[in-house]
Amino acid sequence: MRFQEIADHGIRVDGALRDWRRIRKISVGAGDDASMQFALGYDRGGLYVAAAVRDQRMIRSRRPTRDEDAIVVTLALPTRPGRRTYQATEVWIFAGVEGRTAGSAAVGGTRGRLRPARGARVVEAAGSGGYEIEAYIPWAAIPRSAGWEQGRVSVRLRDIDSEARPEVHAEPATAPVDTANLDRLPAIIPSGGDHAVLANFLQRQGIPGQEPRHDLRGNVCGDDRPERIVHVGRFLLVMGDGYRDGDGYDFLALPIQGPQDVMAAELRDFTADGKKELFLRVRQHGERGTRDLWSLYSFTCTAIRPLFAIEQRKALAGGHVESRIRVRGGRGAPRIEVAAGSATGIAPEDWNEAPATDAEAILLPWGPVLARTYRWDGQRFATSNERANPNPHVRGATRTTTTTRTPATTQAEAPPPTRTVRDLIRAVRTERRIPRSVQARFVQDANLAGSPATERLVVFGKAVVVVGENFREGQGYFHYELAVQNAEDLLDVKTEDVTGDGRAEVLVRVRQTLGDVTRELLMVHRFARGGTFPRVLTVEVGRTRGNERIANEVRTVRGTLEIRPGRTQGWTADNWPWSDSPPGDVAPLLLPWRDQPVRYRLQGARLTPR
């Protein structure tokens, strides 16, 4: 059932329905007695109901009860926002009788006592064979209304024809209400406002009608008005009246395969700045198994940015390892406490996973650290406390409790044998189970990491692999899954120094298909301190639709990345069909008829325009 957005001052609750002429009405009942046409609306503050009722006799007292004529809106609302379990709340709207009683509204359950709806306005006007009525009920008067967009609804007209014997004469409804099966009621479909924005976004992504898995509201940036944060499909969206002055939204593609991979979502202030961050627990799938990330995202009012992540669980073919994470409050920013948990089906000798580089690595029960606490220090989540493992497992060590060795008889540990780049690539293929049919692509030799020596970058399928005789002491490797749907969408990978620090960055060019439009995105990654591999820039550099195309030029100029508008085919300033600035954490495509070349320099942790 559709709820129409009501613009500011768009409806005046005066009992006349002229303001509702363009809004589609729904009919219940038939004939001159016990029938009506009605419409539902909403704004930030509350619920609107407008109805033209046909009734030969109205039963009304000064203090109306369930035994009198009424319009009843049954709202099956989530017990908590985002939940799929519902509880019914009913809004009873009583028309007044001119010169005797005023119109009123009350709220309650499907049974029992009704309570006056504080702040409600109800105005009726007499009509031929019945009456017209308008009502406004504040959301604050309706329990659990914070999640009303995920609710379900039924509307009925209660008709009582005798004051002496107040029995229901007729009660036509849009749907019967079964309190044991509230999920069977028609879904609420909001229209207009950010709901129209969401519907348009889903249409553009080729997933129209997909329902959000998580739908949250909270103050995440800007003024004190709350924003709406939606997880739908593989995407996060943020929007609201105060976001981008109510004229835009931002979105982010999550590194997951589908909506079911987001297992938990919550808004909370983790940085003690008065604004909330988004916590997600997500599951990622790889060739060897799955991992769960405990992750935080922040909102800058211009983008959604990954803020912090911890590996919480890893599952391989033989078993899994899981750590425990708790958030404790107090003054200032809360503490994130991580403790090594348990391992099932995996022994220390069998563990061959390289430590994560895109998140804080999982704490292993046999690792050097048993517990660690993180806290926001104003710039990042820093380690504020750590507890060492008194008895960590050392690979290859022989443990004994019956003999000891004196320093005089202790032999020096032999250094590990040096492995060539070919040996390291072979080891990666074995450990990552990369079949021989998957050929190496985009092979590059460049100085990517800390030492002056060069490393070798190779792409297998969707994964970037980096090895080197001096990289991680020649005993390890780096493996990173790129954010593309298919390996065929990976158009180019090359290495160039675009920050001027003497080390090369990794420039990845990918294809993204949105309906009949194909975009080309340039993503720039770099090795940062601590071995992380953050993305420092995403920019659109090409767009194609049929025979129409724009292709920007990308080049490196004196330690900076320069993007020029390039050429256009088919599109001009007169027929360009999109807005100037696409939403999301993606720098916009340069348009040849308007834009000048842009140079990007590293500023902090991002490449930003000069």
Side-chain angles (χ1 to χ4, degrees):
M1 189 177 299
R2 189 169 301 279
F3 282 45
Q4 180 67 41
E5 185 199 27
I6 306 300
D8 289 342
H9 310 296
I11 292 291
R12 184 170 61 182
V13 180
D14 57 6
L17 304 188
R18 56 184 175 274
D19 296 333
W20 298 80
R21 286 192 298 269
R22 297 182 180 179
I23 299 176
R24 182 182 176 184
K25 310 299 190 300
I26 300 171
S27 297
V28 295
D32 294 334
D33 194 22
S35 66
M36 70 173 175
Q37 288 189 322
F38 72 93
L40 302 174
Y42 74 94
D43 63 12
R44 294 191 306 271
L47 169 70
Y48 290 84
V49 180
V53 178
R54 302 282 289 177
D55 189 4
Q56 294 177 351
R57 184 184 183 192
M58 182 191 292
I59 303 300
R60 174 69 68 252
S61 66
R62 292 184 179 274
R63 294 183 179 180
T65 67
R66 294 177 184 268
D67 295 328
E68 301 180 30
D69 289 358
I71 298 171
V72 184
V73 181
T74 302
L75 298 169
L77 302 175
T79 53
R80 287 182 59 186
R83 291 280 182 91
R84 300 294 179 180
T85 56
Y86 302 94
Q87 188 168 339
T89 296
E90 292 194 333
V91 178
W92 287 63
I93 300 169
F94 301 101
V97 178
E98 187 175 357
R100 292 176 50 196
T101 61
S104 63
V107 175
T110 55
R111 296 181 180 179
R113 180 173 173 268
L114 296 174
R115 302 179 305 277
R118 292 186 178 181
R121 303 195 303 274
V122 179
V123 181
E124 72 287 326
S128 176
Y131 57 91
E132 294 183 346
I133 188 169
E134 282 184 295
Y136 174 77
I137 300 91
W139 294 122
I142 304 174
R144 295 173 301 280
S145 61
W148 72 268
E149 296 99 330
Q150 295 87 51
R152 297 178 177 273
V153 63
S154 175
V155 179
R156 68 184 189 270
L157 175 65
R158 170 160 286 198
D159 183 34
I160 307 290
D161 276 356
S162 173
E163 291 177 323
R165 300 182 62 184
E167 296 178 354
V168 176
H169 168 69
E171 199 166 32
T174 58
V177 176
D178 178 0
T179 55
N181 296 285
L182 293 172
D183 57 328
R184 297 180 182 176
L185 289 176
I188 293 173
I189 303 177
S191 65
D194 53 17
H195 305 286
V197 172
L198 177 59
N200 181 59
F201 174 82
L202 296 178
Q203 185 71 37
R204 291 174 58 190
Q205 299 299 330
I207 50 175
Q210 187 160 145
E211 292 188 9
R213 186 173 175 87
H214 298 94
D215 199 336
L216 308 173
R217 291 187 184 273
N219 183 12
V220 299
C221 71
D223 58 26
D224 291 336
R225 286 176 290 180
E227 283 72 40
R228 183 184 181 193
I229 296 89
V230 178
H231 159 231
V232 58
R234 296 176 51 248
F235 300 97
L236 282 179
L237 287 86
V238 56
M239 64 195 89
D241 294 327
Y243 193 85
R244 290 182 177 265
D245 296 324
D247 293 329
Y249 67 98
D250 286 305
F251 74 94
L252 176 72
L254 293 170
I256 58 176
Q257 290 185 355
Q260 69 281 356
D261 291 329
V262 177
M263 298 175 289
E266 182 183 350
L267 291 174
R268 179 169 177 174
D269 185 359
F270 283 88
T271 60
D273 63 350
K275 306 296 181 183
K276 294 183 178 181
E277 286 72 43
L278 175 65
F279 154 70
L280 295 180
R281 181 169 176 173
V282 303
R283 176 159 294 171
Q284 296 178 324
H285 302 262
E287 296 175 356
R288 290 170 58 87
T290 65
R291 73 167 179 174
D292 292 359
L293 285 182
W294 191 103
S295 52
L296 296 178
Y297 292 82
S298 64
F299 303 85
T300 65
C301 280
T302 58
I304 308 171
R305 299 194 187 281
L307 185 63
F308 183 63
I310 310 169
E311 287 185 321
Q312 187 170 359
R313 187 179 190 272
K314 280 192 169 184
L316 306 176
H320 70 271
V321 179
E322 187 166 7
S323 61
R324 300 187 303 272
I325 301 178
R326 293 189 299 182
V327 179
R328 294 186 179 273
R331 292 185 178 181
R335 303 186 307 276
I336 303 170
E337 298 179 352
V338 188
S342 59
T344 302
I346 298 177
E349 295 81 5
D350 302 327
W351 186 259
N352 292 314
E353 290 290 293
T357 58
D358 58 345
E360 296 292 312
I362 191 170
L363 293 188
L364 301 170
W366 53 81
V369 177
L370 284 182
R372 184 179 288 137
T373 300
Y374 300 92
R375 198 171 191 180
W376 183 255
D377 66 1
Q379 295 182 333
R380 62 190 180 95
F381 283 94
T383 301
S384 61
N385 191 27
E386 190 171 273
R387 178 161 59 91
N389 188 348
N391 192 28
H393 173 77
V394 179
R395 186 178 295 273
T398 300
R399 299 190 180 187
T400 178
T401 59
T402 59
T403 61
T404 59
R405 305 176 73 183
T406 64
T409 61
T410 301
Q411 299 179 355
E413 184 179 350
T418 301
R419 297 200 285 182
T420 65
V421 167
R422 181 175 297 179
D423 293 335
L424 292 165
I425 292 292
R426 189 181 298 115
V428 173
R429 276 189 175 274
T430 300
E431 292 190 15
R432 292 283 172 175
R433 300 179 181 177
I434 302 173
R436 292 184 178 180
S437 59
V438 178
Q439 299 296 315
R441 298 196 299 161
F442 310 118
V443 179
Q444 302 271 310
D445 288 326
N447 178 17
L448 297 168
S451 71
T454 61
E455 288 80 30
R456 176 160 295 178
L457 180 148
V458 183
V459 175
F460 293 106
K462 300 187 295 182
V464 169
V465 172
V466 176
V467 299
E469 296 180 7
N470 294 297
F471 180 70
R472 297 185 177 176
E473 300 179 352
Q475 303 300 312
Y477 63 89
F478 172 79
H479 182 277
Y480 181 83
E481 287 273 346
L482 292 168
V484 292
Q485 288 281 0
N486 304 295
E488 294 75 17
D489 294 327
L490 191 56
L491 303 178
D492 188 33
V493 178
K494 61 182 180 180
T495 57
E496 290 189 34
D497 181 8
V498 298
T499 61
D501 64 353
R503 290 186 291 135
E505 283 66 47
V506 180
L507 281 64
V508 181
R509 197 161 183 146
V510 304
R511 175 174 57 208
Q512 183 184 71
T513 301
L514 306 172
D516 62 346
V517 175
T518 299
R519 299 200 305 173
E520 290 184 19
L521 302 181
L522 176 68
M523 302 185 295
V524 181
H525 290 260
R526 69 190 300 261
F527 281 95
R529 292 181 179 179
T532 59
F533 192 59
R535 188 191 305 175
V536 295
L537 175 67
T538 305
V539 56
E540 184 178 1
V541 294
R543 189 176 300 188
T544 303
R545 187 179 67 179
N547 296 323
E548 300 163 316
R549 176 170 171 77
I550 289 179
N552 290 171
E553 298 174 3
V554 180
R555 63 178 184 170
T556 303
V557 180
R558 295 190 297 275
T560 62
L561 181 68
E562 183 178 84
I563 300 179
R564 307 179 69 86
R567 299 180 179 180
T568 180
Q569 175 182 313
W571 278 314
T572 66
D574 295 328
N575 65 8
W576 180 247
W578 290 283
S579 60
D580 290 343
S581 299
D585 193 15
V586 179
L589 180 73
L590 299 183
L591 305 180
W593 55 82
R594 184 195 65 191
D595 294 315
Q596 298 297 315
V598 176
R599 285 190 183 182
Y600 290 87
R601 287 188 180 275
L602 187 66
Q603 183 173 356
R606 304 286 294 178
L607 282 173
T608 58
R610 293 182 56 180

